[in-house]
Amino acid sequence: MSSYLFASSPCSVSRFSLLLGSSLLFFGIKSSAPRLTRLRHTSKSWAHLCTRSSSKFFSALSSPPPAHDDVIMLGIETSCDDTAAAVVRGNGDILSQVVSSQADLLSRYGGVAPKMAEEAHSLVIDQVVQRALDDAKLTGNDLSAVAVTIGPGLSLCLRVGVQKARRLAGVFSLPIVGVHHMEAHALVARLIERNLQFPFLALLISGGHNLLILAHKLGHYLQLGTTIDDAIGEAYDKTARWLGLDMRKGGGPALEELALEGDANSINFSIPMRQHKDCNFSYAGLKTQVRLAIESRKISMENNPISLANLDDRRSQADIAASFQRVAVLHLEERCQRAIEWALKIEPSIKYLVLSGGVASNKYVRARLSHVVENNGLELVCPPPSLCTDNGVMVAWTGIEHFLLGRFDPPPPADEPEDAMFELRPRWPLGEEYSQGKSEARSLKRSRVFPSLTSMIQGSVQN
Ligand code: KG4
Ligand code: ZN
């Protein structure tokens, strides 16, 4: 079965840099002028029905759902180091997409420093959101609701997006949909592949998460596996930094590029967690192996740009990059194979595996995973790179999916004070753990973890 959807973006993406003297990147999606919507009235009266609901993010649907085409959702994403916004129509048309990246900050400070990331978000959030509305040729008046990431992520960063969403929603009296960042990574695949029905399997790989998820239905997820320490994106970023790569384009993309020059079999890094017959991940040990390999080759690890390396050193660095990538991805392949077997036992009707999150924009990752998926008779759905890395489209789309089921919050007051309290969920699992998936190797910190999205939705449905 040929089933490899490197789904191309539904509209053309134009890119330009601008403002503040740094390399903030905006992706703008040009589209024809959107038709204005009639739903404003529907959504307002609908929201009104919910104003007496609790402050939970989910309200019961008490009037017929609006037609998909009539919904227009603004999505805002600030959970980590990208400030993103997009406007998406209920039928999946992307009316605009804007991303302002903090790659410069990342390269200067060697990682996401929460306070600095917060400042960077605050500096551009108004422009990013305004740009998304302008590109869509809309104003707040034309929106049906605002979707915003409320977790998981860095509290300081999440707060910037949520505050912006609440200000806008207050002024235009719009409902708010609080979105789970990892659910958004998974669900954006349904915008790309319209045949993608529940149940499906998802491998979500990013800077902070490594998740294997069985998606039973919207808002109902079973976690088959997660990382016991680092996520794969973190391992890519660290390795890239130690190898002196140019972090301005992002550690992952820089390492992917260098790996093309190297021999992937030159170093036999050991494959993580082979002795654990589950679907969990670990990347801390591989990071240590990479560090030792770099040290043993006497490559200076910090402040050593690869552009200054001689040919032999560069070759040696490329070999490390390629060998790291082979083993990091082999670990994904092995866990994915087991997850497919588990998932097909639980839900034999599964046809698709979704591959998403920033690391899923890597061509080697996509090619290797496509083999695993096809060998098992499934179809791989992988969003285009601009929808794999953090973006506002996935938040808007997830907002639409929940909004159409009546899961949203009423509009906040127009005069809400700046220091008003609202809930953020920095540590928020997507689903309950599969009992067979609980590894003895698990060392997850469990303090201050919110109940999972799935248990919250199930609780609210029962109520
Ligand atoms: O989903 P994402 O944009 O943000 C988080 O939610 O963390 O993922 C970011 C991660 C970073 O670690 C970045 O280096 C990695 O995705 N990444 C890649 C590639 N593009 C982004 N890793 C490997 N190869 C790539 N081409
Ligand atoms: Zn992400």
Side-chain angles (χ1 to χ4, degrees):
M1 176 169 22
S2 164
S3 52
Y4 190 7
L5 284 177
F6 281 163
S8 56
S9 181
C11 340
S12 64
V13 180
S14 69
R15 224 173 190 252
F16 52 95
S17 57
L18 106 171
L19 98 181
L20 301 173
S22 72
S23 63
L24 297 175
L25 286 181
F26 279 67
F27 297 90
I29 290 197
K30 300 271 175 274
S31 64
S32 53
R35 280 170 290 126
L36 295 194
T37 170
R38 278 163 282 115
L39 180 79
R40 283 285 295 144
H41 310 292
T42 324
S43 79
K44 274 219 169 136
S45 51
W46 212 27
H48 177 73
L49 290 171
C50 302
T51 48
R52 268 188 260 142
S53 73
S54 72
S55 63
K56 300 268 183 307
F57 265 93
F58 307 109
S59 310
L61 177 63
S62 47
S63 59
H68 289 212
D69 284 13
D70 289 341
V71 175
I72 296 187
M73 186 72 66
L74 169 69
I76 299 177
E77 159 62 41
T78 62
S79 66
C80 190
D81 56 342
D82 289 321
T83 317
V87 180
V88 178
R89 194 185 281 280
N91 63 5
D93 283 353
I94 298 173
L95 305 184
S96 64
Q97 185 185 359
V98 183
V99 180
S100 166
S101 146
Q102 298 180 12
D104 258 8
L105 277 184
L106 277 182
S107 96
R108 245 181 290 155
Y109 298 103
V112 184
K115 194 69 195 136
M116 261 175 251
E118 178 200 21
E119 276 169 23
H121 284 305
S122 302
L123 217 52
V124 297
I125 186 75
D126 288 341
Q127 293 166 76
V128 167
V129 169
Q130 192 54 50
R131 182 76 202 231
L133 289 170
D134 291 348
D135 282 0
K137 300 188 172 59
L138 298 175
T139 72
N141 263 320
D142 305 311
L143 298 173
S144 313
V146 182
V148 60
T149 305
I150 58 169
L154 300 167
S155 294
L156 287 174
C157 298
L158 291 165
R159 181 177 306 282
V160 176
V162 174
Q163 259 168 348
K164 175 68 189 176
R166 293 184 71 84
R167 270 200 311 273
L168 197 85
V171 170
F172 294 98
S173 194
L174 299 166
I176 296 195
V177 191
V179 168
H180 190 296
H181 182 82
M182 299 313 290
E183 185 187 33
H185 272 307
L187 292 189
V188 74
R190 277 164 54 84
L191 179 154
I192 294 304
E193 172 54 65
R194 290 318 180 83
N195 292 326
L196 176 57
Q197 303 289 337
F198 293 99
F200 61 85
L201 190 56
L203 172 62
L204 308 176
I205 40 181
S206 67
H209 297 269
N210 238 82
L211 287 176
L212 270 162
I213 293 289
L214 170 49
H216 286 291
K217 57 184 181 192
L218 185 64
H220 186 180
Y221 307 98
L222 183 65
Q223 180 181 295
L224 302 180
T226 183
T227 181
I228 63 163
D229 41 52
D230 297 327
I232 184 171
E234 150 73 18
Y236 264 91
D237 291 339
K238 258 306 157 25
T239 303
R241 171 163 300 281
W242 289 337
L243 290 174
L245 303 190
D246 181 357
M247 301 295 283
R248 280 172 306 183
K249 51 180 129 172
L255 192 123
E256 178 182 12
E257 207 178 302
L258 180 66
L260 293 173
E261 297 173 30
D263 173 2
N265 293 306
S266 56
I267 307 171
N268 258 335
F269 293 129
S270 58
I271 300 155
M273 291 190 82
R274 278 224 156 135
Q275 71 280 23
H276 296 281
K277 306 289 178 212
D278 57 38
C279 296
N280 291 313
F281 302 88
S282 165
Y283 282 97
L286 181 57
K287 266 168 50 181
T288 305
Q289 292 183 67
V290 166
R291 192 168 48 75
L292 294 175
I294 293 174
E295 282 168 3
S296 73
R297 282 161 185 75
K298 310 244 179 314
I299 301 167
S300 140
M301 297 220 318
E302 300 291 338
N303 301 319
N304 182 30
I306 193 163
S307 52
L308 302 180
N310 64 34
L311 273 183
D312 280 352
D313 278 356
R314 187 181 175 98
R315 174 77 208 189
S316 177
Q317 282 163 285
D319 284 349
I320 294 173
S323 303
F324 157 78
Q325 177 163 261
R326 178 179 60 79
V327 172
V329 177
L330 199 50
H331 185 33
L332 294 181
E333 291 169 52
E334 291 186 352
R335 310 320 259 187
C336 217
Q337 174 62 41
R338 180 170 293 118
I340 292 172
E341 289 159 18
W342 284 7
L344 286 173
K345 277 195 196 125
I346 306 167
E347 289 272 16
S349 63
I350 286 178
K351 292 194 178 54
Y352 292 96
L353 184 141
V354 168
L355 178 63
S356 187
V359 183
S361 51
N362 179 301
K363 289 200 188 69
Y364 180 78
V365 172
R366 292 156 86 108
R368 297 294 305 189
L369 266 299
S370 85
H371 281 130
V372 176
V373 171
E374 284 175 19
N375 288 344
N376 284 279
L378 300 183
E379 218 169 303
L380 182 72
V381 184
C382 196
S386 66
L387 297 183
C388 277
T389 48
D390 287 353
N391 64 85
V393 173
M394 67 184 198
V395 178
W397 177 253
T398 303
I400 288 168
E401 293 234 32
H402 283 290
F403 185 70
L404 288 170
L405 288 185
R407 295 174 185 156
F408 55 82
D409 245 8
D415 55 355
E416 188 169 73
E418 280 288 304
D419 58 354
M421 299 287 282
F422 44 80
E423 196 175 68
L424 302 170
R425 300 173 186 163
R427 303 185 65 201
W428 188 20
L430 188 49
E432 302 307 302
E433 277 179 279
Y434 182 45
S435 52
Q436 253 179 283
K438 288 183 183 162
S439 164
E440 280 160 24
R442 298 286 304 278
S443 63
L444 278 181
K445 297 178 207 98
R446 303 220 142 260
S447 61
R448 288 184 290 134
V449 176
F450 270 86
S452 74
L453 173 76
T454 301
S455 64
M456 282 179 168
I457 290 183
Q458 283 179 342
S460 81
V461 169
Q462 273 159 20
N463 285 339

